[in-house]
Amino acid sequence: MKNLNKLKKTGQNLTKLLNAIELLYWDQETKMPKNGVEGRAEQIAYLSEILHEKSTEVKLGKIIDNLITEEDKYSYSDKAFIKKFHRDYSMAKKLPGELISNLAKETSLAQSVWVEAKKANNFSLFAPKLNIIVDLLKEKADRLGYVSHPYDALLDEYEPFMKSESIKKIFDKLQTGLSEIVKKIKSSEQIDTEFLKQKYSIAKQDKFGRQVIKDMGFPMDSGRLDVSAHPFTITLGSKDVRLTTRYSEDALFSGLFSNIHEAGHGLYELGFSKEIQGNILATGTSLGIHESQSRMWENQIGRSYGFWQHYYPKLKSIFPNELKNVELDGFYRAINKVSPSLIRVEADEVTYNLHIILRFNLELDLMSGKLKVNDLPEAWNEKMENYLGIRPESDGEGVLQDVHWSSGLIGYFPTYSLGNIYGVQFYNKMKNDIVNIEKNISRGNFEEILSWLRTNIHSYGSVYSAEELCKKITGETLNPEYFLNYIDYKYKKIYNY
Ligand code: MG
Protein backbone atom coordinates (compact mmCIF):
# COMPACT_ATOMS: atom_id res chain seq x y z
CA MET A 1 0.00 0.00 0.00
CA LYS A 2 2.91 2.31 0.70
CA ASN A 3 3.88 2.47 -2.96
CA LEU A 4 0.30 2.95 -4.08
CA ASN A 5 -0.15 5.84 -1.66
CA LYS A 6 3.06 7.40 -2.90
CA LEU A 7 1.86 7.11 -6.47
CA LYS A 8 -1.49 8.65 -5.56
CA LYS A 9 0.26 11.58 -3.92
CA THR A 10 2.43 12.05 -7.02
CA GLY A 11 -0.66 11.88 -9.24
CA GLN A 12 -2.34 14.59 -7.16
CA ASN A 13 0.71 16.84 -7.41
CA LEU A 14 1.05 16.38 -11.16
CA THR A 15 -2.64 17.19 -11.51
CA LYS A 16 -2.18 20.42 -9.50
CA LEU A 17 0.65 21.47 -11.77
CA LEU A 18 -1.42 20.67 -14.85
CA ASN A 19 -4.37 22.68 -13.46
CA ALA A 20 -2.05 25.67 -12.94
CA ILE A 21 -0.86 25.45 -16.56
CA GLU A 22 -4.47 25.24 -17.69
CA LEU A 23 -5.37 28.33 -15.70
CA LEU A 24 -2.67 30.24 -17.58
CA TYR A 25 -4.08 28.93 -20.82
CA TRP A 26 -7.68 29.79 -19.87
CA ASP A 27 -6.62 33.32 -18.97
CA GLN A 28 -4.74 33.67 -22.26
CA GLU A 29 -7.87 32.75 -24.23
CA THR A 30 -10.36 34.85 -22.25
CA LYS A 31 -8.89 37.79 -20.33
CA MET A 32 -5.22 38.37 -21.13
CA PRO A 33 -4.23 41.62 -22.87
CA LYS A 34 -2.86 41.09 -26.38
CA ASN A 35 0.70 42.01 -25.46
CA GLY A 36 0.87 39.35 -22.76
CA VAL A 37 1.27 36.67 -25.38
CA GLU A 38 5.07 36.30 -25.38
CA GLY A 39 5.46 36.19 -21.62
CA ARG A 40 2.58 33.76 -21.35
CA ALA A 41 4.08 31.41 -23.94
CA GLU A 42 7.28 31.33 -21.89
CA GLN A 43 5.45 30.69 -18.62
CA ILE A 44 3.46 27.84 -20.11
CA ALA A 45 6.52 26.34 -21.80
CA TYR A 46 8.58 26.43 -18.59
CA LEU A 47 5.86 24.91 -16.42
CA SER A 48 5.22 22.24 -19.07
CA GLU A 49 8.90 21.37 -18.97
CA ILE A 50 8.75 20.96 -15.19
CA LEU A 51 5.62 18.83 -15.54
CA HIS A 52 7.36 16.62 -18.11
CA GLU A 53 10.45 16.25 -15.87
CA LYS A 54 8.34 15.35 -12.87
CA SER A 55 6.27 12.88 -14.89
CA THR A 56 9.34 11.03 -16.12
CA GLU A 57 11.49 10.84 -12.97
CA VAL A 58 13.41 7.56 -12.71
CA LYS A 59 12.24 6.89 -9.15
CA LEU A 60 8.63 7.25 -10.31
CA GLY A 61 9.28 4.58 -12.94
CA LYS A 62 10.54 2.21 -10.24
CA ILE A 63 7.43 2.68 -8.10
CA ILE A 64 5.20 2.05 -11.13
CA ASP A 65 7.17 -1.07 -12.14
CA ASN A 66 6.82 -2.50 -8.64
CA LEU A 67 3.10 -1.84 -8.55
CA ILE A 68 2.55 -3.33 -11.99
CA THR A 69 3.99 -6.67 -10.85
CA GLU A 70 1.57 -6.86 -7.94
CA GLU A 71 -1.47 -5.19 -9.52
CA ASP A 72 -3.73 -8.19 -8.92
CA LYS A 73 -3.80 -7.26 -5.23
CA TYR A 74 -5.70 -4.06 -5.91
CA SER A 75 -9.29 -3.02 -6.54
CA TYR A 76 -10.49 -2.48 -10.10
CA SER A 77 -10.12 1.30 -9.95
CA ASP A 78 -6.70 1.16 -8.27
CA LYS A 79 -5.58 -1.26 -10.95
CA ALA A 80 -6.85 1.15 -13.60
CA PHE A 81 -4.99 3.94 -11.83
CA ILE A 82 -1.69 2.02 -11.88
CA LYS A 83 -2.18 1.05 -15.52
CA LYS A 84 -2.92 4.61 -16.59
CA PHE A 85 0.16 5.88 -14.77
CA HIS A 86 2.22 3.17 -16.43
CA ARG A 87 0.87 4.04 -19.86
CA ASP A 88 1.38 7.81 -19.46
CA TYR A 89 4.86 7.27 -18.02
CA SER A 90 6.00 4.92 -20.80
CA MET A 91 4.69 7.26 -23.48
CA ALA A 92 6.38 10.30 -21.94
CA LYS A 93 9.64 8.35 -21.63
CA LYS A 94 9.63 7.41 -25.29
CA LEU A 95 9.66 11.04 -26.42
CA PRO A 96 12.94 12.93 -26.03
CA GLY A 97 12.73 16.49 -24.70
CA GLU A 98 14.24 17.78 -27.93
CA LEU A 99 11.43 16.38 -30.06
CA ILE A 100 8.81 17.80 -27.70
CA SER A 101 10.34 21.27 -27.69
CA ASN A 102 10.84 21.17 -31.48
CA LEU A 103 7.20 20.31 -31.94
CA ALA A 104 6.15 23.05 -29.52
CA LYS A 105 8.34 25.61 -31.27
CA GLU A 106 7.39 24.63 -34.84
CA THR A 107 3.68 24.47 -34.13
CA SER A 108 3.63 27.83 -32.40
CA LEU A 109 5.41 29.37 -35.42
CA ALA A 110 3.17 27.47 -37.82
CA GLN A 111 -0.01 28.83 -36.28
CA SER A 112 0.77 32.42 -37.21
CA VAL A 113 1.89 31.31 -40.69
CA TRP A 114 -1.39 29.44 -41.06
CA VAL A 115 -3.33 32.57 -40.09
CA GLU A 116 -1.47 34.56 -42.78
CA ALA A 117 -1.87 31.82 -45.41
CA LYS A 118 -5.58 31.60 -44.67
CA LYS A 119 -5.94 35.37 -44.99
CA ALA A 120 -4.05 35.29 -48.29
CA ASN A 121 -6.03 32.23 -49.42
CA ASN A 122 -2.78 30.57 -50.38
CA PHE A 123 -1.84 27.08 -49.20
CA SER A 124 1.68 27.28 -50.64
CA LEU A 125 2.59 29.83 -47.91
CA PHE A 126 1.72 27.25 -45.24
CA ALA A 127 2.99 24.10 -46.99
CA PRO A 128 6.68 24.39 -45.90
CA LYS A 129 5.62 24.63 -42.23
CA LEU A 130 3.20 21.74 -42.55
CA ASN A 131 5.96 19.67 -44.13
CA ILE A 132 8.12 20.21 -41.06
CA ILE A 133 5.25 19.32 -38.72
CA VAL A 134 4.37 16.14 -40.64
CA ASP A 135 8.02 15.04 -40.51
CA LEU A 136 8.19 15.67 -36.76
CA LEU A 137 4.95 13.75 -36.25
CA LYS A 138 6.30 10.83 -38.28
CA GLU A 139 9.30 10.81 -35.97
CA LYS A 140 6.96 10.96 -32.98
CA ALA A 141 4.96 8.00 -34.33
CA ASP A 142 8.16 5.99 -34.88
CA ARG A 143 9.33 6.67 -31.36
CA LEU A 144 5.98 5.82 -29.79
CA GLY A 145 5.76 2.68 -31.89
CA TYR A 146 2.87 1.05 -33.77
CA VAL A 147 1.94 -2.27 -35.25
CA SER A 148 0.31 -1.63 -38.60
CA HIS A 149 0.01 2.10 -39.33
CA PRO A 150 1.99 5.12 -38.04
CA TYR A 151 -1.34 6.94 -37.63
CA ASP A 152 -2.24 4.60 -34.78
CA ALA A 153 0.60 5.95 -32.65
CA LEU A 154 -0.77 9.50 -32.91
CA LEU A 155 -4.43 8.49 -32.60
CA ASP A 156 -3.64 6.66 -29.37
CA GLU A 157 -2.96 9.93 -27.58
CA TYR A 158 -6.52 11.17 -28.17
CA GLU A 159 -8.46 7.92 -28.45
CA PRO A 160 -6.48 5.38 -26.39
CA PHE A 161 -6.45 1.79 -27.70
CA MET A 162 -8.41 2.63 -30.87
CA LYS A 163 -6.87 1.60 -34.19
CA SER A 164 -7.25 3.35 -37.52
CA GLU A 165 -8.31 0.07 -39.15
CA SER A 166 -11.41 -0.10 -36.89
CA ILE A 167 -12.21 3.54 -37.52
CA LYS A 168 -11.87 3.03 -41.26
CA LYS A 169 -14.48 0.26 -41.20
CA ILE A 170 -16.87 2.36 -39.13
CA PHE A 171 -16.35 5.47 -41.24
CA ASP A 172 -16.78 3.64 -44.55
CA LYS A 173 -20.20 2.41 -43.38
CA LEU A 174 -21.08 5.85 -42.14
CA GLN A 175 -20.04 7.52 -45.38
CA THR A 176 -22.14 5.22 -47.54
CA GLY A 177 -25.19 5.62 -45.31
CA LEU A 178 -24.90 9.38 -44.91
CA SER A 179 -24.25 10.08 -48.59
CA GLU A 180 -27.53 8.33 -49.43
CA ILE A 181 -29.45 10.36 -46.86
CA VAL A 182 -27.87 13.61 -48.08
CA LYS A 183 -28.97 12.79 -51.64
CA LYS A 184 -32.56 12.25 -50.50
CA ILE A 185 -32.56 15.49 -48.52
CA LYS A 186 -31.11 17.43 -51.46
CA SER A 187 -34.00 16.40 -53.66
CA SER A 188 -36.61 17.32 -51.02
CA GLU A 189 -38.18 20.70 -50.38
CA GLN A 190 -35.70 22.99 -48.61
CA ILE A 191 -36.19 24.68 -45.23
CA ASP A 192 -36.76 28.41 -44.94
CA THR A 193 -34.42 30.15 -42.50
CA GLU A 194 -35.04 33.78 -43.52
CA PHE A 195 -35.77 34.80 -39.92
CA LEU A 196 -32.15 34.13 -38.98
CA LYS A 197 -31.02 37.04 -41.14
CA GLN A 198 -31.67 39.58 -38.38
CA LYS A 199 -29.65 40.98 -35.48
CA TYR A 200 -30.04 39.03 -32.24
CA SER A 201 -28.78 40.94 -29.21
CA ILE A 202 -25.75 39.25 -27.65
CA ALA A 203 -26.77 40.22 -24.12
CA LYS A 204 -30.12 38.50 -24.62
CA GLN A 205 -28.48 35.40 -26.15
CA ASP A 206 -26.21 35.20 -23.14
CA LYS A 207 -29.07 35.51 -20.67
CA PHE A 208 -30.99 32.71 -22.41
CA GLY A 209 -27.89 30.50 -22.76
CA ARG A 210 -27.09 30.79 -19.07
CA GLN A 211 -30.61 29.72 -18.13
CA VAL A 212 -30.37 26.64 -20.37
CA ILE A 213 -27.06 25.41 -18.96
CA LYS A 214 -28.29 26.05 -15.42
CA ASP A 215 -31.36 23.91 -16.18
CA MET A 216 -29.04 21.19 -17.54
CA GLY A 217 -27.50 21.06 -14.08
CA PHE A 218 -24.25 22.94 -14.67
CA PRO A 219 -23.49 24.61 -11.32
CA MET A 220 -22.22 28.18 -11.59
CA ASP A 221 -20.59 27.95 -8.16
CA SER A 222 -18.27 25.27 -9.60
CA GLY A 223 -17.78 26.83 -12.99
CA ARG A 224 -17.90 29.86 -15.25
CA LEU A 225 -19.00 30.76 -18.74
CA ASP A 226 -16.86 33.27 -20.64
CA VAL A 227 -16.29 34.31 -24.22
CA SER A 228 -13.33 33.19 -26.37
CA ALA A 229 -12.50 33.05 -30.09
CA HIS A 230 -13.19 29.29 -30.19
CA PRO A 231 -15.43 27.64 -27.59
CA PHE A 232 -13.76 25.15 -25.25
CA THR A 233 -14.04 23.59 -21.78
CA ILE A 234 -11.13 23.41 -19.38
CA THR A 235 -10.75 21.96 -15.90
CA LEU A 236 -8.90 23.88 -13.20
CA GLY A 237 -9.88 21.68 -10.28
CA SER A 238 -12.45 19.06 -9.30
CA LYS A 239 -14.91 21.87 -8.46
CA ASP A 240 -13.78 24.44 -11.00
CA VAL A 241 -14.65 23.83 -14.63
CA ARG A 242 -14.59 26.71 -17.10
CA LEU A 243 -16.72 26.85 -20.24
CA THR A 244 -16.23 29.31 -23.05
CA THR A 245 -18.53 30.22 -25.89
CA ARG A 246 -18.82 32.74 -28.69
CA TYR A 247 -21.76 34.85 -29.72
CA SER A 248 -22.54 36.73 -32.89
CA GLU A 249 -25.53 38.99 -33.52
CA ASP A 250 -25.87 37.40 -36.95
CA ALA A 251 -25.74 33.79 -35.81
CA LEU A 252 -28.36 32.98 -33.20
CA PHE A 253 -27.80 29.22 -33.27
CA SER A 254 -24.04 29.34 -32.99
CA GLY A 255 -23.91 30.66 -29.41
CA LEU A 256 -26.96 28.73 -28.34
CA PHE A 257 -25.65 25.33 -29.31
CA SER A 258 -22.08 26.11 -28.26
CA ASN A 259 -23.34 26.73 -24.75
CA ILE A 260 -25.19 23.43 -24.62
CA HIS A 261 -22.25 21.58 -26.18
CA GLU A 262 -19.63 22.94 -23.78
CA ALA A 263 -21.89 22.43 -20.76
CA GLY A 264 -22.11 18.77 -21.83
CA HIS A 265 -18.31 18.57 -21.62
CA GLY A 266 -18.35 20.48 -18.33
CA LEU A 267 -20.86 18.16 -16.67
CA TYR A 268 -18.62 15.20 -17.48
CA GLU A 269 -15.65 16.95 -15.86
CA LEU A 270 -17.69 17.74 -12.75
CA GLY A 271 -19.11 14.26 -12.43
CA PHE A 272 -16.09 12.14 -11.49
CA SER A 273 -16.55 10.05 -8.37
CA LYS A 274 -14.96 11.30 -5.12
CA GLU A 275 -12.58 8.35 -5.17
CA ILE A 276 -10.80 9.53 -8.33
CA GLN A 277 -11.20 13.32 -8.03
CA GLY A 278 -8.03 15.39 -8.24
CA ASN A 279 -6.01 12.51 -9.64
CA ILE A 280 -5.03 11.19 -13.05
CA LEU A 281 -8.15 9.05 -13.57
CA ALA A 282 -10.28 12.20 -13.23
CA THR A 283 -10.36 12.87 -16.94
CA GLY A 284 -12.45 11.78 -19.88
CA THR A 285 -11.46 8.27 -20.88
CA SER A 286 -11.03 9.34 -24.51
CA LEU A 287 -11.81 12.43 -26.58
CA GLY A 288 -14.48 10.44 -28.40
CA ILE A 289 -16.26 9.67 -25.14
CA HIS A 290 -15.86 13.30 -24.06
CA GLU A 291 -17.37 14.47 -27.31
CA SER A 292 -20.23 11.98 -26.91
CA GLN A 293 -21.23 13.94 -23.81
CA SER A 294 -21.28 17.30 -25.56
CA ARG A 295 -22.93 16.04 -28.73
CA MET A 296 -25.63 14.14 -26.91
CA TRP A 297 -26.74 17.28 -25.09
CA GLU A 298 -26.33 19.42 -28.17
CA ASN A 299 -28.00 17.18 -30.74
CA GLN A 300 -30.10 14.38 -29.27
CA ILE A 301 -31.49 16.66 -26.56
CA GLY A 302 -30.87 20.26 -27.71
CA ARG A 303 -32.05 19.77 -31.27
CA SER A 304 -35.08 17.68 -30.36
CA TYR A 305 -38.67 18.82 -30.76
CA GLY A 306 -39.46 18.26 -27.10
CA PHE A 307 -36.62 20.48 -25.92
CA TRP A 308 -38.03 23.39 -27.89
CA GLN A 309 -41.59 22.74 -26.78
CA HIS A 310 -40.26 23.91 -23.46
CA TYR A 311 -37.73 26.54 -24.55
CA TYR A 312 -39.19 28.10 -27.67
CA PRO A 313 -41.86 30.14 -25.82
CA LYS A 314 -39.06 31.42 -23.57
CA LEU A 315 -36.81 32.30 -26.50
CA LYS A 316 -39.73 33.99 -28.20
CA SER A 317 -40.43 36.14 -25.15
CA ILE A 318 -36.78 37.28 -25.20
CA PHE A 319 -36.88 38.02 -28.96
CA PRO A 320 -40.57 38.92 -29.48
CA ASN A 321 -40.06 41.04 -32.61
CA GLU A 322 -37.46 38.89 -34.28
CA LEU A 323 -39.43 35.66 -33.87
CA LYS A 324 -43.00 36.96 -34.13
CA ASN A 325 -43.76 35.19 -37.39
CA VAL A 326 -42.01 31.94 -36.59
CA GLU A 327 -43.94 29.04 -35.08
CA LEU A 328 -42.39 26.16 -33.14
CA ASP A 329 -42.51 23.82 -36.14
CA GLY A 330 -40.67 26.28 -38.36
CA PHE A 331 -38.11 26.92 -35.67
CA TYR A 332 -37.54 23.20 -35.13
CA ARG A 333 -37.02 22.67 -38.85
CA ALA A 334 -34.62 25.61 -39.00
CA ILE A 335 -32.35 24.30 -36.24
CA ASN A 336 -32.21 21.01 -38.12
CA LYS A 337 -31.69 22.37 -41.61
CA VAL A 338 -29.32 20.22 -43.66
CA SER A 339 -27.22 21.76 -46.38
CA PRO A 340 -23.89 20.48 -47.64
CA SER A 341 -21.42 23.29 -47.07
CA LEU A 342 -17.69 23.81 -47.39
CA ILE A 343 -16.96 24.65 -43.77
CA ARG A 344 -16.85 21.95 -41.09
CA VAL A 345 -17.74 24.12 -38.10
CA GLU A 346 -20.90 25.32 -39.84
CA ALA A 347 -21.99 21.84 -40.84
CA ASP A 348 -25.26 20.25 -39.72
CA GLU A 349 -25.72 16.96 -37.89
CA VAL A 350 -26.05 14.95 -41.12
CA THR A 351 -23.14 16.28 -43.18
CA TYR A 352 -20.73 16.97 -40.29
CA ASN A 353 -19.27 13.48 -40.22
CA LEU A 354 -18.49 13.59 -43.93
CA HIS A 355 -16.15 16.52 -43.21
CA ILE A 356 -14.42 14.42 -40.57
CA ILE A 357 -14.15 11.31 -42.74
CA LEU A 358 -12.49 13.44 -45.43
CA ARG A 359 -9.85 14.71 -42.97
CA PHE A 360 -9.29 11.24 -41.52
CA ASN A 361 -8.63 9.70 -44.93
CA LEU A 362 -6.24 12.50 -45.90
CA GLU A 363 -4.37 12.22 -42.59
CA LEU A 364 -3.96 8.46 -43.03
CA ASP A 365 -2.34 8.99 -46.44
CA LEU A 366 -0.18 11.86 -45.17
CA MET A 367 1.22 9.73 -42.37
CA SER A 368 1.83 6.70 -44.57
CA GLY A 369 3.59 8.90 -47.13
CA LYS A 370 1.07 8.07 -49.85
CA LEU A 371 0.05 11.71 -50.01
CA LYS A 372 2.52 14.61 -50.15
CA VAL A 373 1.80 17.87 -48.34
CA ASN A 374 1.97 19.81 -51.63
CA ASP A 375 -0.78 17.65 -53.14
CA LEU A 376 -3.18 18.25 -50.23
CA PRO A 377 -5.33 21.05 -51.77
CA GLU A 378 -6.18 19.00 -54.84
CA ALA A 379 -6.83 15.83 -52.82
CA TRP A 380 -9.04 17.85 -50.48
CA ASN A 381 -11.12 19.36 -53.27
CA GLU A 382 -11.61 16.03 -54.98
CA LYS A 383 -12.86 14.41 -51.80
CA MET A 384 -15.20 17.33 -51.09
CA GLU A 385 -16.75 16.77 -54.48
CA ASN A 386 -17.00 13.04 -53.88
CA TYR A 387 -18.44 13.17 -50.39
CA LEU A 388 -20.53 16.33 -50.40
CA GLY A 389 -20.99 17.19 -54.05
CA ILE A 390 -19.42 20.65 -53.72
CA ARG A 391 -15.97 21.98 -54.59
CA PRO A 392 -14.09 24.78 -52.76
CA GLU A 393 -13.17 27.76 -54.92
CA SER A 394 -10.16 28.61 -52.80
CA ASP A 395 -7.74 27.16 -50.22
CA GLY A 396 -9.30 29.30 -47.48
CA GLU A 397 -12.66 27.55 -47.76
CA GLY A 398 -10.91 24.24 -48.36
CA VAL A 399 -7.69 22.81 -47.01
CA LEU A 400 -6.78 25.88 -44.89
CA GLN A 401 -9.99 26.13 -42.89
CA ASP A 402 -8.98 24.31 -39.67
CA VAL A 403 -6.30 25.28 -37.17
CA HIS A 404 -5.61 21.64 -36.14
CA TRP A 405 -2.77 20.69 -38.48
CA SER A 406 -0.83 23.85 -37.70
CA SER A 407 -1.03 22.85 -34.03
CA GLY A 408 0.34 19.39 -34.79
CA LEU A 409 -3.03 17.75 -34.16
CA ILE A 410 -3.05 14.84 -36.58
CA GLY A 411 -5.11 11.91 -35.28
CA TYR A 412 -7.52 14.21 -33.46
CA PHE A 413 -10.30 14.80 -36.01
CA PRO A 414 -11.82 11.30 -35.95
CA THR A 415 -12.66 11.71 -32.26
CA TYR A 416 -15.37 14.24 -33.22
CA SER A 417 -17.24 11.64 -35.24
CA LEU A 418 -16.58 8.85 -32.76
CA GLY A 419 -18.25 11.18 -30.25
CA ASN A 420 -21.33 11.50 -32.45
CA ILE A 421 -21.59 7.74 -32.81
CA TYR A 422 -20.94 6.94 -29.14
CA GLY A 423 -23.41 9.67 -28.16
CA VAL A 424 -26.30 8.16 -30.10
CA GLN A 425 -25.49 4.63 -28.96
CA PHE A 426 -25.51 5.74 -25.30
CA TYR A 427 -28.62 7.84 -25.76
CA ASN A 428 -30.41 4.86 -27.22
CA LYS A 429 -29.71 2.87 -24.06
CA MET A 430 -30.64 5.80 -21.83
CA LYS A 431 -33.99 6.07 -23.62
CA ASN A 432 -34.71 2.46 -22.72
CA ASP A 433 -33.75 3.05 -19.10
CA ILE A 434 -35.66 6.30 -18.55
CA VAL A 435 -39.28 5.69 -19.45
CA ASN A 436 -40.33 9.34 -19.28
CA ILE A 437 -37.33 10.79 -21.01
CA GLU A 438 -39.23 12.63 -23.74
CA LYS A 439 -41.79 14.03 -21.32
CA ASN A 440 -38.97 15.18 -19.03
CA ILE A 441 -37.18 16.96 -21.86
CA SER A 442 -40.35 18.70 -23.00
CA ARG A 443 -40.71 20.08 -19.47
CA GLY A 444 -37.11 21.24 -19.22
CA ASN A 445 -36.47 18.64 -16.53
CA PHE A 446 -33.05 17.03 -16.99
CA GLU A 447 -32.46 15.59 -13.54
CA GLU A 448 -32.97 11.95 -14.46
CA ILE A 449 -30.82 12.33 -17.58
CA LEU A 450 -27.94 13.87 -15.66
CA SER A 451 -28.20 11.26 -12.96
CA TRP A 452 -28.10 8.46 -15.57
CA LEU A 453 -25.04 10.02 -17.18
CA ARG A 454 -23.33 10.43 -13.80
CA THR A 455 -23.97 6.83 -12.81
CA ASN A 456 -23.13 5.20 -16.13
CA ILE A 457 -20.43 7.44 -17.58
CA HIS A 458 -19.19 10.50 -15.67
CA SER A 459 -18.36 8.93 -12.33
CA TYR A 460 -15.86 6.49 -13.87
CA GLY A 461 -13.55 9.04 -15.50
CA SER A 462 -10.82 6.92 -17.08
CA VAL A 463 -11.38 3.79 -14.97
CA TYR A 464 -12.78 2.02 -18.06
CA SER A 465 -11.42 2.43 -21.58
CA ALA A 466 -13.82 3.75 -24.22
CA GLU A 467 -14.43 0.27 -25.55
CA GLU A 468 -15.00 -1.23 -22.09
CA LEU A 469 -17.39 1.57 -21.20
CA CYS A 470 -19.33 1.17 -24.42
CA LYS A 471 -19.70 -2.58 -23.87
CA LYS A 472 -20.59 -2.09 -20.22
CA ILE A 473 -23.36 0.36 -21.06
CA THR A 474 -24.75 -0.94 -24.36
CA GLY A 475 -23.63 -4.57 -24.40
CA GLU A 476 -21.68 -4.14 -27.64
CA THR A 477 -18.76 -2.24 -29.15
CA LEU A 478 -19.12 0.95 -31.14
CA ASN A 479 -21.72 0.44 -33.84
CA PRO A 480 -22.49 3.14 -36.46
CA GLU A 481 -25.91 1.60 -37.23
CA TYR A 482 -27.42 3.42 -34.25
CA PHE A 483 -26.28 6.75 -35.59
CA LEU A 484 -27.49 6.04 -39.12
CA ASN A 485 -30.88 4.87 -37.87
CA TYR A 486 -31.26 7.92 -35.67
CA ILE A 487 -30.42 10.29 -38.54
CA ASP A 488 -32.68 8.50 -41.01
CA TYR A 489 -35.64 8.40 -38.60
CA LYS A 490 -35.31 12.05 -37.59
CA TYR A 491 -34.69 13.58 -41.02
CA LYS A 492 -37.22 11.48 -42.87
CA LYS A 493 -39.84 13.22 -40.77
CA ILE A 494 -38.34 16.67 -41.17
CA TYR A 495 -37.78 16.45 -44.94
CA ASN A 496 -40.59 14.09 -45.84
CA TYR A 497 -38.42 11.98 -48.12
MG1 MG B 1 -16.40 19.40 -28.11
Side-chain angles (χ1 to χ4, degrees):
M1 278 318 260
K2 218 177 120 199
N3 272 338
L4 182 62
N5 288 336
K6 254 194 217 165
L7 197 62
K8 285 195 174 168
K9 187 87 206 145
T10 308
Q12 283 163 3
N13 288 337
L14 295 176
T15 304
K16 285 174 202 156
L17 196 47
L18 180 67
N19 289 158
I21 295 171
E22 302 206 301
L23 173 57
L24 290 176
Y25 177 77
W26 173 84
D27 175 72
Q28 172 185 304
E29 299 299 310
T30 53
K31 308 281 176 195
M32 189 184 78
K34 197 173 111 221
N35 293 338
V37 64
E38 254 170 64
R40 183 55 47 87
E42 282 172 22
Q43 293 153 5
I44 291 178
Y46 182 59
L47 286 176
S48 304
E49 214 179 296
I50 295 179
L51 180 61
H52 183 71
E53 270 168 29
K54 292 208 173 283
S55 315
T56 50
E57 275 177 358
V58 179
K59 64 176 185 202
L60 182 59
K62 285 187 183 144
I63 297 175
I64 298 170
D65 284 345
N66 275 329
L67 283 166
I68 281 281
T69 58
E70 53 183 40
E71 62 168 11
D72 289 340
K73 287 195 333 211
Y74 299 105
S75 69
Y76 196 87
S77 69
D78 280 343
K79 226 188 279 180
F81 171 74
I82 297 165
K83 275 189 194 153
K84 177 154 171 56
F85 234 120
H86 184 242
R87 195 181 130 81
D88 293 352
Y89 182 85
S90 322
M91 274 171 89
K93 272 291 202 196
K94 283 179 188 167
L95 300 178
E98 204 194 336
L99 176 62
I100 293 175
S101 67
N102 270 344
L103 258 172
K105 197 181 80 197
E106 292 298 342
T107 51
S108 92
L109 291 171
Q111 277 173 59
S112 50
V113 176
W114 167 76
V115 171
E116 290 309 314
K118 194 176 171 185
K119 248 190 234 158
N121 237 328
N122 186 349
F123 180 75
S124 66
L125 299 175
F126 176 56
K129 283 285 166 214
L130 186 56
N131 253 316
I132 296 173
I133 291 173
V134 168
D135 284 344
L136 287 169
L137 289 176
K138 280 183 181 163
E139 186 192 338
K140 184 176 170 183
D142 286 340
R143 288 186 183 273
L144 288 171
Y146 54 86
V147 179
S148 49
H149 199 294
Y151 193 76
D152 292 344
L154 303 180
L155 175 68
D156 197 61
E157 194 174 337
Y158 313 112
E159 198 64 26
F161 312 109
M162 182 61 101
K163 300 283 175 272
S164 53
E165 212 187 326
S166 314
I167 296 187
K168 182 112 184 81
K169 276 188 203 142
I170 291 170
F171 280 8
D172 284 350
K173 250 192 209 165
L174 205 59
Q175 192 200 328
T176 313
L178 287 175
S179 296
E180 266 173 41
I181 297 173
V182 170
K183 257 188 227 149
K184 288 183 201 160
I185 290 177
K186 262 183 159 177
S187 53
S188 309
E189 196 190 324
Q190 297 307 297
I191 292 172
D192 175 19
T193 51
E194 255 323 285
F195 71 92
L196 288 173
K197 293 178 187 155
Q198 302 176 76
K199 300 278 180 214
Y200 288 87
S201 140
I202 285 176
K204 287 181 180 178
Q205 288 187 46
D206 186 59
K207 186 179 164 214
F208 181 79
R210 281 176 194 275
Q211 186 58 50
V212 172
I213 64 176
K214 190 177 161 231
D215 294 348
M216 286 166 64
F218 186 82
M220 277 303 181
D221 49 2
S222 298
R224 289 182 57 91
L225 174 69
D226 294 88
V227 167
S228 67
H230 299 280
F232 63 89
T233 295
I234 203 161
T235 296
L236 306 181
S238 54
K239 292 189 177 62
D240 184 357
V241 172
R242 312 281 172 102
L243 317 177
T244 73
T245 188
R246 65 173 159 202
Y247 299 113
S248 155
E249 280 190 333
D250 306 312
L252 175 64
F253 295 163
S254 155
L256 199 61
F257 289 105
S258 278
N259 289 338
I260 300 176
H261 180 102
E262 297 307 327
H265 281 303
L267 288 169
Y268 189 11
E269 289 288 318
L270 285 168
F272 304 130
S273 72
K274 266 224 161 62
E275 200 190 349
I276 62 169
Q277 272 175 16
N279 218 316
I280 64 163
L281 287 176
T283 174
T285 191
S286 76
L287 292 189
I289 297 293
H290 227 306
E291 195 69 4
S292 79
Q293 294 312 289
S294 52
R295 296 284 171 157
M296 183 193 285
W297 281 104
E298 178 189 349
N299 291 331
Q300 276 79 68
I301 300 170
R303 285 182 211 270
S304 71
Y305 192 80
F307 185 88
W308 290 101
Q309 279 180 310
H310 179 73
Y311 282 108
Y312 192 55
K314 296 180 183 3
L315 188 70
K316 222 172 159 165
S317 72
I318 293 181
F319 295 108
N321 292 327
E322 294 85 343
L323 297 173
K324 71 170 176 276
N325 295 321
V326 186
E327 294 311 315
L328 172 62
D329 280 33
F331 184 81
Y332 171 69
R333 285 161 62 81
I335 57 172
N336 288 298
K337 182 185 166 108
V338 175
S339 91
S341 71
L342 295 166
I343 308 296
R344 174 185 62 88
V345 295
E346 290 165 11
D348 52 80
E349 215 184 349
V350 180
T351 58
Y352 186 87
N353 294 300
L354 295 168
H355 290 264
I356 298 301
I357 297 169
L358 173 148
R359 285 155 179 77
F360 169 73
N361 285 328
L362 292 177
E363 287 184 345
L364 273 183
D365 289 349
L366 264 185
M367 287 306 291
S368 70
K370 216 164 116 188
L371 178 66
K372 299 276 169 269
V373 166
N374 290 341
D375 299 328
L376 258 177
E378 189 48 36
W380 181 290
N381 294 348
E382 251 172 51
K383 283 203 162 36
M384 270 313 274
E385 215 162 350
N386 262 333
Y387 295 0
L388 284 147
I390 42 178
R391 199 179 173 91
E393 300 269 311
S394 71
D395 293 344
E397 52 182 30
V399 67
L400 281 175
Q401 65 182 270
D402 295 307
V403 67
H404 299 59
W405 291 342
S406 73
S407 320
L409 291 177
I410 288 183
Y412 188 105
F413 277 121
T415 68
Y416 292 129
S417 283
L418 294 177
N420 286 328
I421 311 172
Y422 276 124
V424 172
Q425 197 167 330
F426 293 157
Y427 189 75
N428 203 59
K429 176 70 170 81
M430 182 162 73
K431 244 175 32 186
N432 287 333
D433 290 351
I434 306 176
V435 203
N436 287 329
I437 191 163
E438 272 160 23
K439 210 194 264 171
N440 289 347
I441 292 175
S442 67
R443 290 174 179 167
N445 176 356
F446 306 111
E447 262 171 52
E448 260 186 286
I449 291 178
L450 182 56
S451 145
W452 189 95
L453 293 171
R454 289 236 189 288
T455 309
N456 290 284
I457 300 173
H458 301 171
S459 57
Y460 294 119
S462 298
V463 171
Y464 297 105
S465 72
E467 190 179 82
E468 285 166 345
L469 193 68
C470 187
K471 271 197 206 155
K472 190 173 179 313
I473 297 170
T474 69
E476 58 182 313
T477 54
L478 189 59
N479 180 353
E481 292 297 330
Y482 292 104
F483 184 82
L484 285 170
N485 289 340
Y486 153 76
I487 291 287
D488 194 40
Y489 180 79
K490 176 173 174 180
Y491 288 90
K492 200 180 270 168
K493 275 193 186 162
I494 294 176
Y495 277 92
N496 256 323
Y497 61 70

